[in-house]
């Protein structure tokens, strides 16, 4: 399988290491921003070629993997899907933009390409997907990070994150609003919503919590299937305290799953 990767940050580098080690995958191209080609090539390793647009790739690509975040998705996803190539992405929250959601669906329908968002930092999406078949009544998502983990988000305007001594709630609302307001922090809320009752019906609460050491994600759901509660305390990648380890692992799994004859 010939794969191109978008981005060369912490998650992309973990994915590249694992894919470069697989006999069945050739990681042939990395797509980066202009001027970063040499650095991107070095970060991804192997015999990868660095380019700034999917349209410049002069080879047959079976799959593109987006690990660059919302801006990268906006810049490259449509070109990939329009070409009939499948796309695996970590940036589910970008689809809080209805126009982009429509465009993605249109190109997938027209070309037969598939847009797959990985579970990323969360789990239990298999149960939500299945439970949706019989009807879900309610899905809630609660996210907790230590105060410093919310730097660069709207939480910073509401609280003095450097000096918080007790837990504070800085967002309560729909998954759509969470994804719009917290583009770097609310992909998990969006992925949960897309698997379950959708961006407008999924209730999201976000806490800055000085007592947690790891990012914590909780899902509750109820419906015809019964009810569920799921909690995960996610570790970060060893060399990148802000990057979710399970997200990187989840991308590798999504790629390698395509080659398996028995899937669970
Ligand atoms: N789905 C999830 O559960 C989940 C969890 C954690 C992170 N994420 C997403 O994963 C993304 C990557 O995380 P990371 O820790 O590797 O971040 P990072 O900052 O280390 O890496 C981001 C990479 O993308 C590149 N990039 C940015 N804009 C680009 C563009 N327009 N075109 C090409 N490349 C571009 C950057 O140069 C960098 O190499 C985050 O932005 C976040 O949105 C998703």
């Amino acid at each position: 399988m010939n794969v191109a990767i978008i981005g060369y940050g912490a998650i992309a580098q973990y994915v590249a290491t694992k894919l470069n080690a697989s006999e069945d995958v050739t990681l042939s191209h990395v797509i980066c921003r202009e001027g970063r080609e040499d650095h991107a090539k070095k970060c991804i390793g192997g015999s990868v070629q660095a380019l700034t647009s999917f349209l410049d790739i002069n080879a047959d690509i079976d799959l593109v993997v987006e690990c660059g975040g919302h801006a990268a998705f906006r810049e490259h996803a449509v070109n990939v899907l329009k070409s009939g190539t499948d796309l695996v992405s970590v940036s589910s929250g970008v689809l809080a933009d209805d126009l982009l959601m429509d465009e993605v669906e249109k190109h997938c329908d027209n070309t037969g390409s598939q847009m797959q968002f990985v579970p990323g930092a969360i789990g239990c999406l298999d149960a939500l997907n299945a439970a949706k078949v019989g009807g879900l009544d309610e899905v809630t998502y609660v996210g907790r990070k230590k105060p410093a983990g919310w730097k660069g988000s709207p939480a910073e305007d509401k609280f003095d994150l450097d000096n918080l001594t007790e837990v504070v709630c800085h967002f309560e609302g729909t998954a759509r609003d969470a994804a719009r307001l917290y583009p770097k922090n609310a992909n998990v809320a969006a992925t949960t919503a897309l698997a379950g009752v959708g961006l407008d019906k999924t209730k999201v609460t976000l806490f800055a919590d000085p007592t947690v050491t790891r990012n914590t994600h909780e899902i509750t759901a109820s419906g015809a299937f019964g009810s569920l509660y799921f909690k995960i305390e996610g570790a970060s990648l060893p060399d990148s305290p802000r990057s979710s380890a399970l997200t990187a692992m989840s991308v590798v799994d999504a790629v390698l799953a395509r080659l398996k004859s028995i899937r669970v």
Side-chain angles (χ1 to χ4, degrees), residues 6-12 31-33 36 66-73 75-76 89-92 118-122 183-185 187-188 191 237 240 242-244 247:
I6 302 175
Y8 56 91
I11 289 175
I31 299 169
C32 60
R33 286 173 292 181
R36 324 274 168 108
E66 182 275 302
C67 301
H70 288 199
F73 188 100
E75 201 174 326
H76 304 291
S89 165
V90 296
S91 304
S92 54
V118 294
I122 193 76
K184 289 196 178 146
N185 295 279
N187 286 305
V188 177
T191 312
L237 285 172
S240 179
R242 288 182 71 95
S243 301
S244 146
T247 301

